[in-house]
Amino acid sequence: MDSCSLEIANWRNHQETLKYQFDAFYGERSSQQDVYGGSVQPILRHLLEGQNASVLAYGPTGAGKTHTMLGSPEQPGVIPRALMDLLQLTREEGAEGRPWALSVTMSYLEIYQEKVLDLLEPSSGDLVIREDCRGNILIPGLTQKPITSFADFEQHFLPASRNRTVGATRLNQRSSRSHAVLLVKVDQRERLAPFRQREGKLYLIDLAGSEDNRRTGNKGLRLKESGAINASLFVLGKVVDALNQGLPRVPYRDSKLTRLLQDSLGGSAHSILIANIAPERRFYLDTVSALNFAARSKEVINRPFTNERLQLHVLAPIKLSQKELLGPSEAKRARGPEEEESGSPEPPAAPASAFQKLSPLQKLSSMDPAMLERLLSLDRLLGSQGSQGTPLLSTPKRERMVLMKTVEEKDLEIERLKMKQKELEAKVLAQEAADPKEKENYSPTTLRPLARRTVTVAKPLKRAVVMPLQLIQEQAASPNAEIHILKKKGRKRKLESLDASEPEEKAEDCWELQISPELLAHGRQKILDLLNEGSARDLRSLQRIGQKKAQLIVGWRELHGPFSQVEDLERVEGISSKQMESFLKANILGLAAGQRCGPS
């Protein structure tokens, strides 16, 4: 119809037509240059930006895919034209004085019966397809040949093309029996800081055509090859349908072809699909199939991105002497005592400039003067910011990294100590503001203890305090003292003396429980109140009273009324007089300890 649309009769309804819209449509009068210049040439510029691109030739067998990609000496196809323009672009962008240095490498492979074969090195065997951590598809062990001119490309490509598997069928005397993939990689390295690296890949793919074995007459090996080709193209259609429908799983791994084209289909490449169709009526169904596949592929969305990374610029290896590696102080320790004694005094070296410190760099004639000047300024800057004049660029890489890491750790430690000091000063000021009396008694010689973390205790602990007898008597003499005493009772024992005939008595100190009458009466009253008013849970807080006895006490109190005195407990069933005595002593002693002591 025009340069972007075509129309074909509908084989199901002859009164209707099928219309297709594409980015470009090239008819019978279009030349190889029209196809290349209109669709392929614009995407080459993306390779210099570190992005990937791919060109696929798709269609039935005998439709002219290989002619579109390779062409002839009189009419070169997409591959030779793309290589000529790409090499010209890299020469211009990588010239002297430009910020980037470029290099181009090529690899050539085929997928034959689900085997990945290297056409540059046919003896390498079946290769595997891998995926790196960034999601890029790669083939370990694939041969890469550097090329700097189109003559280098022809030198490697023409012999490799003869290694591709072809066969004769009824439709084509040199029918491609495999999918051929030419991979051209463009590496870029920045000459100045920050020394970025970019990598762009160009896939030029000549797919094998789908075949109808009834027309091709394939038998034996050709039939097996045809089955593998049709199976891979069927998976290719499934991948495109899954991408258009937004399915959670895209079957890239179901075929080696789709696995290799993962970057080109729904991936990170600028992709161009050239659908070759045959105008004859006998190819009508193949033409409709190719147009439908091209229309579905047009809906696939790729998301190209720049493959860029940073890498430290590596200087040429510099050979230094042992003294230069150790430094002045370590070299002095390394010298033997004989050298120190005999030590011929060496004349002190004149202070060298930064350029003289980096004297090994002066021998690098291949280094750019601008780059050398930047390195010198960097060394001066590092020397003034904490490296104590150490020429970092003159030291080996490992020692340089260790030195820089040590300096960084020291700076972090200093900052941490400064922050801690500010926090402590703020706490001291806050304490002085809250306690002005302490500020008056403060002297510079006294050191304040650091503030400790407060620990909250759930319940205060109790303890019994044993005080000297004299101190207790003095406190007991005071009129307002209420002290309950655990007295110390002496026990005498007889000792036979060696000189005297009568035995001597010596008092031996021992402790015995003696409770004052006031404490005893007070304890009895407390226990009595607890018996008359406390619940079963309160009664269980007394020593020697468990759940069963507490329930008996509460039940007896409800039947017979309150207790009149503590001795009434003897009337409760199961409590003897001895148990009563030990009960009173234990609980009264506990009350006495509770009155004498506060929280620990």
Side-chain angles (χ1 to χ4, degrees):
M1 303 291 293
D2 53 38
S3 61
C4 296
S5 62
L6 60 88
E7 187 178 17
I8 186 173
N10 187 358
W11 62 281
R12 293 180 178 177
N13 188 352
H14 296 285
Q15 296 179 358
E16 295 180 357
T17 58
L18 302 176
K19 295 182 180 180
Y20 297 90
Q21 293 287 334
F22 296 107
D23 295 326
F25 176 76
Y26 303 98
E28 298 177 356
R29 298 182 179 180
S30 301
S31 63
Q32 295 275 37
Q33 178 59 33
D34 295 338
V35 177
Y36 170 75
S39 299
V40 179
Q41 191 176 22
I43 69 172
L44 297 181
R45 179 63 60 176
H46 296 297
L47 297 174
L48 303 182
E49 299 173 0
Q51 299 180 2
N52 299 338
S54 60
V55 181
L56 297 88
Y58 179 87
T61 181
K65 299 182 299 299
T66 304
H67 178 72
T68 301
M69 298 303 292
L70 295 180
S72 61
E74 296 78 16
Q75 291 185 352
V78 171
I79 290 179
R81 292 177 187 270
L83 264 297
M84 291 179 65
D85 288 350
L86 184 60
L87 291 171
Q88 180 64 27
L89 285 174
T90 55
R91 279 195 295 267
E92 293 175 359
E93 295 295 330
E96 292 294 335
R98 293 298 183 93
W100 295 89
L102 286 83
S103 62
V104 182
T105 58
M106 63 165 286
S107 301
Y108 198 23
L109 61 97
E110 70 172 354
I111 300 177
Y112 176 71
Q113 295 188 15
E114 290 301 305
K115 294 181 181 179
V116 180
L117 305 178
D118 189 355
L119 295 178
L120 294 174
E121 292 291 340
S123 60
S124 58
D126 188 13
L127 302 177
V128 294
I129 302 175
R130 302 294 188 193
E131 183 177 355
D132 63 5
C133 58
R134 294 178 294 173
N136 297 324
I137 301 299
L138 52 90
I139 302 176
L142 184 63
T143 305
Q144 296 185 8
K145 298 289 186 180
I147 54 175
T148 56
S149 62
F150 190 74
D152 295 341
F153 167 72
E154 287 183 327
Q155 179 182 357
H156 301 301
F157 182 77
L158 294 179
S161 299
R162 291 191 286 268
N163 295 329
R164 185 182 179 185
T165 305
V166 295
T169 64
R170 290 181 182 177
L171 300 179
N172 192 352
Q173 292 298 320
R174 287 186 56 84
S175 175
S176 301
R177 314 311 297 166
S178 63
H179 308 292
V181 180
L182 175 64
L183 172 59
V184 182
K185 190 181 298 185
V186 180
D187 291 324
Q188 304 178 67
R189 298 176 183 271
E190 197 172 15
R191 290 191 172 100
L192 301 177
F195 307 111
R196 293 173 295 175
Q197 290 186 355
R198 291 177 180 174
E199 182 182 80
K201 294 186 290 186
L202 174 63
Y203 293 93
L204 299 171
I205 305 164
D206 179 16
L207 298 175
S210 57
E211 296 182 343
D212 186 353
N213 293 317
R214 293 171 296 182
R215 293 201 305 268
T216 56
N218 292 332
K219 295 180 182 180
L221 180 60
R222 294 290 174 264
L223 185 61
K224 186 178 180 181
E225 294 170 351
S226 177
I229 293 171
N230 290 337
S232 62
L233 294 177
F234 175 72
V235 176
L236 180 62
K238 287 174 55 179
V239 168
V240 172
D241 291 339
L243 291 171
N244 289 334
Q245 297 174 17
L247 299 181
R249 178 187 178 274
V250 181
Y252 288 117
R253 297 176 181 267
D254 291 358
S255 171
K256 294 289 185 66
L257 175 63
T258 53
R259 180 62 168 160
L260 185 63
L261 298 182
Q262 185 170 340
D263 287 342
S264 305
L265 297 171
S268 59
H270 299 270
S271 298
I272 300 295
L273 177 67
I274 302 177
N276 294 76
I277 59 177
E280 290 87 358
R281 179 174 293 273
R282 57 176 176 165
F283 289 104
Y284 175 82
L285 293 179
D286 294 330
T287 299
V288 173
S289 177
L291 291 176
N292 289 335
F293 176 79
R296 298 197 309 269
S297 301
K298 191 175 183 297
E299 303 299 324
V300 176
I301 299 176
N302 282 11
R303 295 173 176 82
F305 60 89
T306 300
N307 299 318
E308 183 177 281
R309 63 184 183 274
L310 293 176
Q311 184 173 355
L312 295 175
H313 187 71
V314 182
L315 296 177
I318 302 172
K319 294 183 179 180
L320 300 177
S321 62
Q322 186 67 21
K323 293 182 179 180
E324 291 175 342
L325 290 174
L326 293 176
S329 58
E330 297 180 359
K332 185 177 180 180
R333 290 195 297 267
R335 288 184 303 184
E338 301 170 355
E339 295 184 8
E340 292 183 358
E341 292 177 1
S342 60
S344 55
E346 297 180 358
S353 62
F355 189 81
Q356 292 173 348
K357 287 181 182 178
L358 299 175
S359 56
L361 294 178
Q362 301 177 17
K363 301 177 182 179
L364 302 178
S365 58
S366 60
M367 180 173 289
D368 188 11
M371 174 62 65
L372 183 59
E373 182 61 30
R374 290 173 68 89
L375 290 175
L376 295 175
S377 62
L378 175 64
D379 187 54
R380 288 193 294 269
L381 179 63
L382 292 175
S384 62
Q385 291 186 356
S387 58
Q388 290 83 26
T390 305
L392 296 180
L393 296 177
S394 297
T395 59
K397 181 178 179 181
R398 181 177 299 177
E399 285 78 5
R400 181 168 67 250
M401 298 301 293
V402 171
L403 180 61
M404 295 176 67
K405 185 177 180 180
T406 304
V407 171
E408 184 178 357
E409 291 177 354
K410 295 293 184 182
D411 293 340
L412 292 176
E413 183 69 17
I414 291 173
E415 292 296 329
R416 189 181 65 81
L417 292 176
K418 287 182 179 179
M419 294 296 294
K420 189 174 182 181
Q421 181 182 3
K422 290 181 180 179
E423 292 177 1
L424 294 177
E425 291 176 355
K427 287 183 179 179
V428 171
L429 293 176
Q431 290 178 359
E432 291 178 353
D435 245 345
K437 293 183 179 180
E438 290 185 3
K439 186 175 180 181
E440 296 176 0
N441 299 332
Y442 174 77
S443 62
T445 57
T446 59
L447 297 178
R448 293 176 178 270
L450 296 177
R452 295 185 178 180
R453 186 176 60 182
T454 58
V455 180
T456 58
V457 182
K459 292 183 179 180
L461 301 177
K462 298 180 180 180
R463 62 181 179 180
V465 179
V466 179
M467 304 177 65
L469 183 60
Q470 296 178 357
L471 182 58
I472 292 176
Q473 291 176 355
E474 293 175 0
Q475 293 181 358
S478 60
N480 299 327
E482 292 184 1
I483 301 175
H484 306 283
I485 305 170
L486 297 176
K487 292 185 178 180
K488 180 180 179 182
K489 181 180 179 181
R491 186 177 64 186
K492 296 181 180 180
R493 69 175 182 175
K494 295 182 179 181
L495 297 176
E496 296 182 357
S497 176
L498 297 176
D499 299 335
S501 59
E502 296 182 358
E504 296 182 358
E505 293 183 355
K506 184 177 180 181
E508 183 181 358
D509 295 338
C510 65
W511 291 94
E512 189 179 60
L513 179 64
Q514 292 186 359
I515 304 175
S516 63
E518 298 85 0
L519 178 60
L520 184 61
H522 182 71
R524 285 176 180 272
Q525 186 61 36
K526 276 199 168 186
I527 295 174
L528 187 62
D529 295 340
L530 186 60
L531 293 174
N532 292 330
E533 300 176 0
S535 62
R537 182 178 180 181
D538 298 333
L539 291 172
R540 287 200 308 270
S541 63
L542 296 174
Q543 296 188 27
R544 301 179 185 273
I545 298 295
Q547 177 69 21
K548 184 177 180 180
K549 291 183 179 180
Q551 291 178 353
L552 288 173
I553 293 172
V554 172
W556 193 93
R557 184 177 65 191
E558 292 177 354
L559 292 175
H560 303 282
F563 296 99
S564 59
Q565 53 183 349
V566 177
E567 283 77 8
D568 291 346
L569 283 173
E570 296 179 359
R571 288 181 288 175
V572 181
E573 183 181 357
I575 299 180
S576 62
S577 58
K578 290 185 178 181
Q579 291 176 343
M580 178 66 193
E581 182 181 357
S582 61
F583 167 77
L584 287 174
K585 288 184 178 181
N587 285 286
I588 291 173
L589 180 59
L591 292 173
Q595 286 186 357
R596 280 295 302 157
C597 305
S600 64

